[in-house]
Amino acid sequence: MAANKGKFAVVLLSGGLDSMVAGGLAREAGYHVFALTIDYNQRHRVELSAAARVASALGAIRHIVLPLDLTAFGGSALTADISVPKGGVGAGIPNTYVPARNTIFLSLTLGLAEVSGANDVFIGVNALDYSGYPDCRPEFIDAFQKMAALATKAGVEGHPIRINAPLQHMSKADIVREAHRLGLDAGISWSCYDPAPNDQHCGLCDSCRLRSKGFEEAGLPDPTRYAARP
């Protein structure tokens, strides 16, 4: 922790459990946190309120909510009038994939990192318990790291901004356990893609299923309020 005294990191903060734990790990490592949340006019806009709660819990020195209306592109159940699948986590890339989302979002974190003097970016992607999104894979993070070194003033001057994906090889149960170890309240995070009334998770979308399964496998109480159970 002492090695990172006075260092800053930008955490890409969605308001979900994964990004909360990534931010918690950055804080544990001694980084001062800038939190960046993208308001892309997602259908689960309740996660923006969750992001504000998480940023506060992490003690972020600044929390930026950046508007970027991806409904102009559409092409996803999260940004267009397309039904969110509720039948269980299947093979292939689901329609909740937002085209190039992590590429776009990481590019924005890179810009903020340069402006704020941060040496590191943290993102909560993981490649074990996930829904088949191509931009959550280690290959993507490695490729983006190489691009970041080429595309920025910091990189050209020999001190490229590091892309940290500390949850990359964790299962959802591992992530739940990390939240508990870090003393983070998982109940303030939000995962559901298709929120039910009264601030409840639907319980049936892929994200809800993975969240519920993670708590069950971790052997820890799930503070989430679900409208239904599979």
Side-chain angles (χ1 to χ4, degrees), residues 12-14 18-19 38 40 68 70 97-110 121-126 130 132-137 140-141 144 147 163 165 168 193:
L12 185 58
L13 193 66
S14 68
D18 296 352
S19 67
I38 311 300
Y40 59 101
L68 181 69
L70 292 183
Y97 163 69
V98 179
R101 181 175 62 180
N102 282 344
T103 306
I104 296 167
F105 289 4
L106 274 176
S107 297
L108 295 169
T109 64
L110 205 56
V121 163
F122 281 76
I123 181 171
V125 295
N126 70 90
Y130 78 122
Y133 301 136
D135 52 1
C136 287
R137 295 175 300 160
F140 166 73
I141 297 298
F144 195 93
M147 186 279 294
I163 311 300
Q168 188 77 80
Y193 291 147

Side-chain angles (χ1 to χ4, degrees), residues 73-92:
F73 291 178
S76 167
L78 303 189
T79 58
D81 189 17
I82 301 170
S83 296
V84 172
K86 301 287 183 72
V89 181

Side-chain angles (χ1 to χ4, degrees), residues 19 36 46 49 60 139 165 181 191 196 214 218 225:
S19 67
L36 177 63
V46 65
S49 298
E139 298 94 327
R181 184 187 67 79
S191 298
R225 295 170 60 238

Side-chain angles (χ1 to χ4, degrees), residues 40-101:
Y40 59 101
N41 212 6
Q42 58 270 50
R43 67 189 302 162
H44 54 311
R45 296 185 60 74
V46 65
E47 75 171 0
L48 298 175
S49 298
R53 294 192 297 268
V54 172
S56 177
L58 292 174
I61 56 179
R62 189 180 181 193
H63 180 209
I64 296 174
V65 180
L66 188 70
L68 181 69
D69 189 0
L70 292 183
T71 61
F73 291 178
S76 167
L78 303 189
T79 58
D81 189 17
I82 301 170
S83 296
V84 172
K86 301 287 183 72
V89 181
I93 300 172
N95 68 7
T96 49
Y97 163 69
V98 179
R101 181 175 62 180

Side-chain angles (χ1 to χ4, degrees), residues 180-219:
H180 180 73
R181 184 187 67 79
L182 291 163
L184 297 169
D185 178 6
I188 68 173
S189 67
W190 185 271
S191 298
C192 181
Y193 291 147
D194 192 21
N198 302 317
D199 292 327
Q200 291 182 302
H201 284 58
C202 76
L204 299 176
C205 69
D206 286 4
S207 190
C208 280
R209 290 173 186 268
L210 289 171
R211 182 182 176 106
S212 176
K213 177 172 173 277
F215 279 98
E216 181 179 352
E217 293 183 350

Side-chain angles (χ1 to χ4, degrees), residues 109-179:
T109 64
L110 205 56
L112 177 58
E114 280 213 288
V115 170
S116 60
N119 295 72
D120 291 82
V121 163
F122 281 76
I123 181 171
V125 295
N126 70 90
L128 295 182
D129 279 350
Y130 78 122
S131 295
Y133 301 136
D135 52 1
C136 287
R137 295 175 300 160
E139 298 94 327
F140 166 73
I141 297 298
D142 290 345
F144 195 93
Q145 178 69 80
K146 293 183 177 69
M147 186 279 294
L150 294 171
T152 59
K153 179 175 181 286
V156 170
E157 292 180 349
H159 44 92
I161 294 161
R162 291 180 292 269
I163 311 300
N164 299 274
L167 281 56
Q168 188 77 80
H169 301 292
M170 292 185 188
S171 68
K172 193 63 74 175
D174 293 332
I175 293 166
V176 168
R177 293 188 193 99
E178 277 294 271

